[in-house]
């Protein structure tokens, strides 16, 4: 549909008399993203924004931590109320605003205007000198300053905030001062004094010799006591002077909403972001100083969080540092409490790429219940390990956190956004958009996911357009479409604290795309901040984004991040925007890099020199009560960086050789694609997006008045202070050239497409199945109650896979129609394959399928299953079209009882070798008898095949007579089909000590574990149906070891070689034959199996089923690209043949299963015998007597296999995808 613009809006845009342009900042012109003059004006305004805040801080608040911009006073710690963590966590009494602002000053020092650049460099150097005067230079001689001796301050601070603001700010400023980060026109000249000391003289007479690095080391060292936990997760807070005496045994402490603790000792709850966002700063510090403690402990904390992720790859917000348990409720998202963990996963990979690292022989993280480590790099020290963590997290976020609704026809219900989900199941729990989550589009752009980043960024841009800021938390509303009511912003989350995350993402996306739309978005934020947050003494944050009420606080990150990213957005030629080094911005906006001299690859003389002169002192070492860390410091002084394993858990005397300790990282990942060329006429790709209106609809921008009377405290301030008092506001600052469905509101008319259209939107197809009281119809069974509309007691049960329904009485199933899984066409050179869903019944391969997304009012995750017991169907009409059970004609499940051997049996297994027999033409006198048929073995293989076929025909004629008489002959007692080996096949030596062997077998009898293996049925003319009698009842009703097929032959071969001949006793003696896929068609494999008399599934005699293992080497590229465990349906396009070429009278049922090593191992362990063909084509057999092998009597318990049919359910012909009948 076409976007509608109001006529009044068009008239306003064409009537220049309504917009006094001479009073306003000029809009950026569209061509080429804007003229240099226009962008220069925005850059000047951003520079002025920074200095208005910085100069007022230095004049009214320094050396305290923050400025109160309304009262023009310093903001200090709340010493009267230690529980005021909103202030005390951040304000450590170490001039945090100055520390946070130094890197911004250094960035401003590369301004294109040499006058502005020189002023910023002068301010930067003056700020460094001021810090050194206050807190000392970090040496033993100059340890104390006028305010404190280093950071020896009686301040209990948050580890996370102190690290990102304090340690990160000092490190970044040091890298600028040392010339490792670029400042245009600044090249420090280092001079040595002959004792290894290097220094550079600044113009003001100050000599810089690494004071900031030493101060960073001092501050970080005071955080190390927080890592003294059994989990590796740091405590959330630490006292910079006294350490952590208040944390001892605080097992019961947790945080209340009002900030107080439930236990008077201490709060031990930290968060994933707080514990996992230390790697960048601590690794840089370790590489610059040679002190390995920081890097080792930060990585240990990161992996401690990561290994506690759920089975679906999500991490939660709150986590206890002592127990390692997630706090209740366990929520997952991308915002507060979690955000920077994902950020540091990717950025740690970037920072560490190209640097040597210490290989870790074994995992060093703590033991958890999570084993979701598929394809993970083995070494947690490698850069690739962090990349894998990011990629796994990104996939889990897209699957479970991202709220998107798309149909097969391309229609969407609402614009995608990121909500909150259950940590374990991924089920949606809340639908708010977090202000802190606005960083995520920028992270996606940095990762090369530009399309997803641009899509995600639209929501935040639309919200900023609506509120002229971002509220701390905004509720989307039911079904993804917000209600027009004003209550979308929660009462306690109406503020904007000057946060930079949205501006940061805008900066990253402009760097990736060069689309002018992002410049206009930055222009919007700049204008709104100037209009709403200005005070005579700085920039206040907003207590209410709607009313415009200000709060008397200017947090340090406003100057350290918000102003910085705005300035870089409008400074295209800045050195940081054009470099190609591994420079990363921390979560506080401080750029970091590991310089060449700190690589640890032989060029680390500067590090070792620093370590010898400024290494950890004894008093610093006493902060960490660990002999292992002291040992690390000693090794660091010798130039060796220990591995994480050694840093976390010391084992004296065990040192890895050099070639195992250090490895270079692999080649860097491919770069991002080049920005697309500008579109004709309208230039911007974003303004022409077909989903631009979707985000506008989500934010309800069409409800915003065309001429909003938005509050602006600058109006009065500007008139009273003149041009010098305020930034100068005009009508252009509060008007939009459209009705806000095009946004940002600074978007000029020239960038708005004249025929802009929106992709269609529609409501999803939602269905609800409500079951009546079925207790009476089912005879009162099924769960004890359920009358008067109440759900029966025990009707619902939470299980690992999802929810088990034992009774449908009064149950309501909420369903939504979604696209089926995308199809992948078969590939490779092996013919006869059809896609698993291509031949499916009940809905076809393409189209929609229902997913149960809720039971009653309880939401389910996308991967959660709804399991339905058979007893729950009692009373349900099988002819009801709204709820119909359909047999799956493609998939079955193989139920396998697998032996788990005890330690004693395992030891014996290592000592004993299997008994091997050669079966072929040359067997000798004992081998001249075939089963119960006393005939000579033919010398010709073709004759053997013909004889087998004649035998099969003859047996078929007598099959009914044989099965009707239970005492027809001694054949039934001696037949190999009963599981008794023929005397000619009895291993030599077994009978001599039969009693001892039986006793030993009983003593080492294995326990059994039941496994369920998905299998796919073949299709085509040669596919033999599975007999109905083969279907098992409910598997839990069958005792362990009592599955029907307990005679299994595992053939470690594809059965394709011309010389490979399978003796016909195999088809008589074993119920199940397991072979490998590949090398020939499925029909050729079945043609190698000898003919047999007609088997009776109910009797369990003869070969009942062939199981084909789809081993990885047999799969084509397209099939290997499928998700793990997804199967391709075998095609038997011709009728089955016998080895002699005759059409098989009764086909052999066949299934195919995933042939990964672990699945193949299960079948090998359950097998009665294992065989393979040697070079001459002879079958070599290994009898597995100890695991219930060929000598097992019928009816005995032991390893076995059964077949379980699958059923699915449909509602009005549409399948219900996640409903499974047990």
């Amino acid at each position: 549909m076409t976007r509608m613009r109001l006529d009044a809006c068009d008239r306003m845009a064409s009537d220049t008399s309504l917009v006094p342009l001479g009073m306003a900042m000029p809009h950026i012109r569209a061509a080429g993203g804007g003229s240099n003059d226009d962008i220069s004006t925005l850059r000047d305004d951003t520079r002025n924004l920074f200095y208005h805040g910085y100069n007022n801080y230095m004049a009214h608040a320094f050396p305290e931590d923050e400025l109160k911009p309304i009262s023009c006073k310093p903001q200090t710690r709340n010493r009267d109320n230690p529980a005021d963590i909103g202030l005390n966590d951040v304000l450590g009494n170490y001039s945090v605003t100055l520390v946070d602002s130094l890197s911004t000053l250094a960035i401003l020092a590369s301004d294109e205007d040499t006058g502005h650049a020189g002023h910023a460099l002068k301010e930067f150097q003056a700020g460094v000198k001021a810090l050194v005067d206050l807190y000392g230079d970090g040496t033993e001689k100059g340890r104390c300053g006028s305010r404190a001796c280093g950071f020896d301050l009686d301040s209990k601070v948050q580890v996370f905030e102190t690290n990102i603001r304090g340690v990160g700010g000092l490190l970044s400023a040091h890298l600028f001062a040392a010339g490792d980060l670029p400042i245009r026109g600044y090249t420090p000249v280092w001079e040595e004094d002959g004792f290894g000391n290097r220094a550079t003289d600044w113009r003001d007479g100050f000599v810089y010799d690494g004071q900031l690095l030493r101060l960073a080391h001092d501050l970080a060292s005071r955080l190390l006591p927080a890592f003294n936990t059994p989990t590796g997760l740091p405590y959330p807070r630490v006292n910079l002077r006294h350490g952590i005496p208040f944390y001892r045994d605080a097992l019961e402490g947790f945080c209340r909403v009002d900030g107080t603790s439930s236990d008077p000792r201490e709060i031990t709850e930290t968060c994933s972001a707080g514990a996992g966002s230390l790697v960048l700063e601590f690794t840089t510090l370790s590489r610059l100083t040679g002190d390995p403690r920081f890097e080792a402990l930060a990585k240990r904390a990161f992996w401690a969080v990561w290994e506690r992720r759920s089975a679906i790859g999500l991490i939660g917000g709150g986590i206890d540092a002592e127990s390692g348990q997630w706090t209740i409720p366990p929520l997952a998202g991308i915002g507060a409490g979690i955000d920077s963990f994902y950020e540091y996963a990717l950025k740690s990979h970037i920072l560490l790429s190209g640097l040597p690292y210490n290989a870790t022989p074994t995992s060093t993280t703590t033991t958890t219940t999570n084993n979701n480590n598929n394809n993970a790099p083995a070494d947690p020290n490698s850069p690739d390990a962090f990349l894998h963590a990011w990629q796994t997290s990104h996939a889990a976020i897209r699957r479970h956190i991202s709220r998107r609704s798309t149909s097969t026809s391309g229609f969407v219900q609402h614009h995608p956004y990121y909500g909150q989900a259950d940590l374990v199941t991924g089920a949606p729990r809340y639908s708010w958009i977090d202000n802190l989550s606005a960083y995520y589009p920028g992270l996606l752009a940095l990762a090369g996911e530009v399309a997803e980043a641009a899509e995600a960024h639209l929501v935040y841009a639309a919200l900023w357009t609506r509120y002229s800021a971002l509220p701390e938390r905004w509720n989307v509303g039911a079904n993804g479409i917000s209600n027009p009511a004003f209550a979308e912003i929660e009462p306690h989350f109406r503020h904007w604290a000057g946060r930079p995350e949205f501006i940061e993402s805008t900066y990253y996306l402009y760097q990736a795309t060069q689309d002018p739309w992002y410049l206009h978005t930055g222009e919007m934020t700049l204008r709104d901040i100037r209009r709403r947050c200005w005070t005579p003494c700085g920039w206040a944050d907003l207590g209410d984004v709607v009313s415009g009420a200000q709060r008397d606080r200017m947090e340090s990150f406003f100057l350290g991040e918000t102003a910085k990213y705005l300035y870089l957005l409008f400074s295209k030629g800045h050195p940081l925007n054009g470099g190609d080094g591994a420079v990363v911005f921390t979560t506080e906006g401080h750029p970091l890099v590991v310089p060449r001299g700190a690589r640890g690859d032989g060029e680390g003389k500067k590090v070792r020199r620093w370590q010898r002169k400024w290494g950890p002192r004894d008093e610093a070492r006493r902060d960490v009560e660990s002999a292992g860390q002291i040992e690390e410091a000693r090794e660091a002084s010798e130039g060796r960086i220990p591995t994480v394993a050694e840093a976390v858990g010391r084992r004296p005397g065990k040192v890895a050789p050099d070639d195992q300790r250090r490895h270079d990282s692999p080649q860097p990942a491919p770069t991002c694609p080049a920005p697309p060329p500008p579109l004709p006429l309208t230039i911007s790709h974003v303004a022409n997006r077909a989903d631009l209106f979707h985000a506008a609809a989500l934010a309800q921008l069409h409800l915003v008045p065309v001429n909003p009377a938005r509050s602006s405290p600058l109006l009065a301030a500007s008139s009273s202070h003149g041009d010098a008092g305020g930034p100068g506001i005009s009508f252009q600052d509060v008007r939009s050239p459209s009705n806000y469905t095009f946004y940002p509101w600074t978007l000029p008319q020239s960038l708005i497409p004249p025929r802009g259209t929106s992709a269609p939107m529609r409501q999803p197809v939602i269905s609800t199945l409500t079951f009546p009281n079925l207790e009476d119809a089912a005879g009162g069974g099924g769960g004890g109650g359920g009358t008067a509309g109440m759900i029966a007691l025990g009707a619902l049960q939470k299980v690992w896979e999802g929810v088990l329904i034992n009774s449908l009485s009064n149950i309501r199933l909420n369903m939504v129609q979604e696209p089926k899984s995308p199809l992948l066409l078969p590939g490779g050179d092996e013919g006869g394959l059809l896609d698993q869903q291509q031949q499916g019944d009940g809905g076809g391969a393409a189209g929609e399928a229902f997913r149960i997304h809720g039971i009653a009012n309880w939401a389910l995750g996308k991967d959660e299953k709804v399991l339905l017991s058979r007893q729950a169907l009692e009373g349900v009409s099988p002819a009801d079209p709204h709820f119909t059970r359909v047999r799956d004609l493609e998939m079955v499940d193989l139920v396998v009882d697998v032996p788990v051997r005890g330690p004693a049996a395992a030891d014996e297994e290592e000592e004993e070798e299997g008994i091997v027999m050669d079966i072929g033409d040359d067997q000798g006198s004992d081998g001249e008898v075939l089963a119960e048929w006393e005939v000579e073995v033919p010398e010709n293989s073709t004759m053997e095949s013909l004889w087998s076929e004649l035998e099969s025909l003859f047996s078929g004629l007598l099959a009914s007579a044989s099965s009707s008489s239970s005492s027809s002959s001694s054949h039934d007692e001696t037949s190999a089909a009963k599981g008794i080996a023929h005397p000619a096949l009895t291993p030599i030596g077994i009978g001599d000590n039969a009693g001892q062997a039986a006793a030993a077998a009983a003593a080492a009898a294995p326990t059994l574990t039941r496994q369920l293996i998905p299998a796919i049925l073949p299709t085509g003319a040669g596919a033999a149906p599975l007999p109905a009698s083969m279907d098992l009842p409910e598997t839990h009703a069958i005792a362990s070891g009592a599955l029907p097929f307990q005679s299994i032959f595992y053939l470690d071969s594809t059965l394709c070689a011309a010389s490979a001949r399978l003796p016909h006793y195999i088809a008589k003696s074993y119920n199940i034959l397991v072979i490998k896929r590949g090398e020939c068609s499925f029909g050729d494999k079945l043609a190698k199996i000898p003919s047999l008399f007609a088997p009776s599934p109910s009797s369990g005699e003869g070969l009942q089923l062939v199981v084909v293992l789809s081993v990885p080497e047999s799969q084509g590229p397209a099939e290997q690209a499928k998700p793990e465990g997804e199967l391709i349906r075998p095609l038997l396009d011709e009728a089955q043949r016998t080895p002699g070429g005759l059409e098989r009278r009764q086909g052999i049922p066949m299934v195919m299963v995933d042939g990964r090593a672990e699945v193949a191992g299960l079948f090998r362990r359950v097998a009665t015998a294992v065989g393979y063909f040697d070079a001459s084509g002879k079958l070599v057999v290994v009898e597995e007597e100890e695991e219930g092998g060929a000598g097992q009597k019928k009816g005995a318990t032991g390893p076995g296999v059964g077949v379980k049919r699958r059923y699915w359910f449909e509602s009005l012909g549409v399948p219900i995808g996640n409903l499974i009948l047990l």
Side-chain angles (χ1 to χ4, degrees), residues 953-1194:
L953 292 174
F954 180 71
S955 300
L957 295 175
L958 301 178
S960 58
S962 300
S963 60
S964 62
S965 175
S966 59
S967 58
S968 58
S969 67
S970 60
H971 162 77
D972 286 337
E973 299 179 4
T974 60
S975 173
K978 292 278 190 179
I980 304 174
H982 188 272
L985 306 180
T986 302
I988 299 175
I990 294 295
D992 296 339
N993 301 304
Q996 297 178 8
T1007 59
L1008 299 175
T1009 177
R1010 181 156 292 175
Q1011 303 283 344
L1012 209 64
I1013 302 175
I1016 191 166
L1017 297 169
T1019 187
L1026 290 176
S1029 59
M1030 192 177 289
D1031 188 17
L1032 292 174
E1034 294 192 18
T1035 55
H1036 64 267
I1038 303 177
S1040 177
L1043 293 176
F1045 304 130
Q1046 299 186 354
S1047 182
I1048 299 98
F1049 188 84
Y1050 183 95
L1051 181 62
D1052 193 8
S1053 169
T1054 60
L1055 199 59
C1056 290
S1059 60
R1061 292 184 292 109
L1062 195 67
H1064 86 292
Y1065 86 90
I1066 297 293
K1068 288 189 175 184
S1069 302
Y1070 299 97
N1071 304 138
I1072 292 180
L1073 173 64
V1074 182
I1075 59 177
K1076 291 183 177 181
R1077 174 187 165 191
E1079 298 183 1
C1080 63
S1081 69
F1082 297 104
D1084 292 341
K1085 296 178 186 295
L1086 296 180
K1088 290 285 186 126
I1089 300 176
S1091 300
L1092 63 158
F1093 66 90
S1096 173
S1098 59
S1099 67
E1101 297 178 350
L1103 184 63
Q1104 304 288 332
L1105 182 66
V1106 174
V1107 179
V1108 179
L1109 298 175
S1110 181
V1111 292
E1113 54 268 23
S1114 68
Q1115 301 173 1
E1119 190 176 354
Q1120 291 178 353
K1122 283 178 172 286
E1124 187 175 281
E1126 187 172 333
L1127 298 171
I1128 295 288
R1129 193 172 186 185
L1131 176 62
L1132 297 173
D1133 52 356
E1134 296 181 356
Q1136 293 188 25
R1137 299 284 177 177
T1138 64
L1142 301 178
E1143 183 173 332
R1144 199 181 295 272
R1145 190 177 64 86
Q1146 182 171 334
I1148 305 174
M1150 185 195 91
V1151 297
M1152 188 170 72
V1153 301
D1154 190 352
R1156 288 171 296 157
E1158 52 267 34
V1159 177
L1162 293 178
F1163 282 103
R1164 185 151 192 154
R1165 286 162 56 192
V1166 80
T1168 305
V1170 177
Y1172 64 91
F1173 292 102
D1174 63 11
S1176 63
K1178 294 181 180 180
L1179 181 65
V1180 180
V1181 178
V1182 179
E1183 295 285 354
E1184 303 288 347
E1185 293 289 346
E1186 294 182 356
E1187 299 195 6
Q1192 186 171 302
K1193 301 288 185 182
K1194 181 174 178 60

Side-chain angles (χ1 to χ4, degrees), residues 433-650:
I433 294 179
D434 193 344
N435 187 354
L436 285 170
S437 66
Y439 80 97
Y440 195 67
L443 185 63
L444 290 171
L446 188 64
E449 306 288 345
V450 180
E452 184 183 356
E455 178 187 67
H457 184 268
L458 291 177
V459 176
Y460 302 101
L463 285 175
W464 187 289
T465 301
R466 179 174 182 180
Y467 296 106
S468 292
L470 281 184
E472 192 72 6
R473 184 184 293 178
W474 186 78
N475 282 327
V476 175
N479 297 325
I481 300 297
S482 60
N483 298 318
F486 183 71
E488 291 159 348
I489 306 177
E490 296 186 11
H492 300 290
F493 298 95
R494 303 171 68 88
H495 59 280
W496 180 68
R499 295 195 185 278
E501 283 77 14
F502 172 60
I503 301 171
E504 173 189 359
S505 289
T506 304
Y507 161 72
Y508 277 115
L509 273 164
Y510 179 68
Q511 295 300 313
T513 65
Q514 299 296 305
D515 195 303
W517 191 89
Y518 296 107
L519 290 176
H520 289 288
T521 301
E523 178 190 6
M524 172 181 67
T525 59
L526 175 61
R527 290 178 181 274
D528 285 333
I529 292 171
R530 286 162 52 91
R531 177 169 59 87
R532 309 188 76 190
C533 303
W534 184 90
T535 70
C537 290
W539 302 97
D541 62 25
L542 299 177
D544 191 317
V545 296
V546 177
S547 68
Q550 294 182 334
R551 298 193 304 185
D552 196 11
R553 187 173 185 185
M554 186 181 73
E555 294 223 38
S556 66
F557 55 68
F558 182 81
L559 302 178
E561 290 186 86
T562 306
K564 178 184 298 172
Y565 283 122
L566 274 174
Y567 180 82
L568 288 173
L569 175 65
F570 302 130
S571 303
K572 185 176 181 179
H574 195 279
L576 285 179
N577 290 338
D580 197 26
V583 178
V584 295
F585 287 85
T586 70
T587 194
E588 190 69 11
H590 297 302
L592 294 179
V593 68
V594 177
R596 181 172 297 274
R599 290 172 55 90
D601 55 0
E603 300 179 359
K605 296 180 179 179
K606 183 169 64 175
V607 175
R608 289 191 289 272
R609 179 168 54 247
W610 188 98
Q611 179 66 30
R612 286 194 299 269
K613 188 170 183 62
W614 313 117
R617 297 181 297 274
D618 291 339
E619 55 268 28
R621 295 179 182 179
R622 285 196 295 270
D623 288 339
V624 183
E625 301 172 5
S626 170
Q629 292 181 5
I630 296 177
E631 177 64 15
E632 291 164 0
R634 181 191 64 79
E635 291 180 345
S637 66
E638 298 173 355
R640 176 186 179 268
I641 303 176
T643 65
V644 176
E646 296 162 336
V648 176
R650 284 279 171 175

Side-chain angles (χ1 to χ4, degrees), residues 128 178 212 226 271 296 482 484 503 625 631 656 811 855 890 896 951 971 997 1194 1221:
V128 173
L212 293 180
C271 61
S482 60
I503 301 171
E625 301 172 5
E631 177 64 15
I811 291 291
I855 300 178
E890 295 179 359
V896 184
E951 173 191 346
H971 162 77
K1194 181 174 178 60
L1221 178 65

Side-chain angles (χ1 to χ4, degrees), residues 131 500 865 927:
L131 278 179
K865 305 295 188 297

Side-chain angles (χ1 to χ4, degrees), residues 125 129 200-208 211:
Q125 294 176 341
K129 182 178 183 301
T200 182
D201 294 331
W202 286 352
R203 293 180 181 179
D204 57 358
F206 181 77
V207 177
Y208 185 77
Q211 293 95 326

Side-chain angles (χ1 to χ4, degrees), residues 116-265:
H116 291 306
H119 175 74
L121 182 59
K122 180 179 178 181
E123 290 292 330
F124 170 75
Q125 294 176 341
V128 173
K129 182 178 183 301
L131 278 179
V132 174
D133 290 341
L134 288 173
Y135 304 105
D137 63 6
T139 65
E140 195 66 36
K141 182 178 179 181
R143 180 168 175 260
C144 296
S146 60
R147 186 177 176 88
C149 296
F151 296 101
D152 183 20
L153 303 164
D154 188 12
S155 301
K156 188 172 80 170
V157 295
Q158 192 184 77
V159 173
F160 168 72
E161 293 289 355
T162 306
N163 170 64
I164 64 173
R165 302 195 197 204
V167 177
L170 292 168
L171 286 174
S172 183
H174 163 73
L175 291 169
F176 278 113
D180 296 316
L181 285 174
I183 297 178
R184 186 181 285 124
Y186 170 74
T187 304
V189 178
W190 297 95
E191 297 180 357
E192 294 195 13
D193 59 1
F195 297 96
N197 303 320
R198 300 170 71 245
T200 182
D201 294 331
W202 286 352
R203 293 180 181 179
D204 57 358
F206 181 77
V207 177
Y208 185 77
D209 61 356
Q211 293 95 326
L212 293 180
L213 178 59
R214 295 193 291 272
L215 286 175
H217 187 274
D218 176 85
L219 182 58
S221 298
R222 299 177 186 278
L223 303 180
L224 293 186
F227 293 85
N228 190 20
T229 65
T231 61
L233 301 166
Y235 286 117
R237 294 170 183 86
V238 67
N239 189 289
L240 295 178
R241 175 175 293 169
H242 302 295
I244 54 166
F246 38 80
Y247 274 112
R248 301 302 181 189
D249 302 321
L251 295 178
E252 302 299 327
F254 63 90
C255 182
R256 294 194 183 99
V257 176
D258 60 1
T260 62
S261 175
S262 64
D263 188 275
R265 289 172 290 186

Side-chain angles (χ1 to χ4, degrees), residues 84-123:
D84 186 2
I85 57 177
L87 284 176
N88 295 336
D89 276 357
V90 176
L91 308 183
N93 201 26
Y94 57 87
S95 312
V96 65
T97 296
L98 175 59
V99 174
D100 233 355
S101 301
L102 287 177
S103 61
T104 307
L105 284 168
I107 288 174
L108 292 174
S110 291
D111 197 280
E112 294 179 0
D113 186 296
T114 56
H116 291 306
H119 175 74
L121 182 59
K122 180 179 178 181
E123 290 292 330

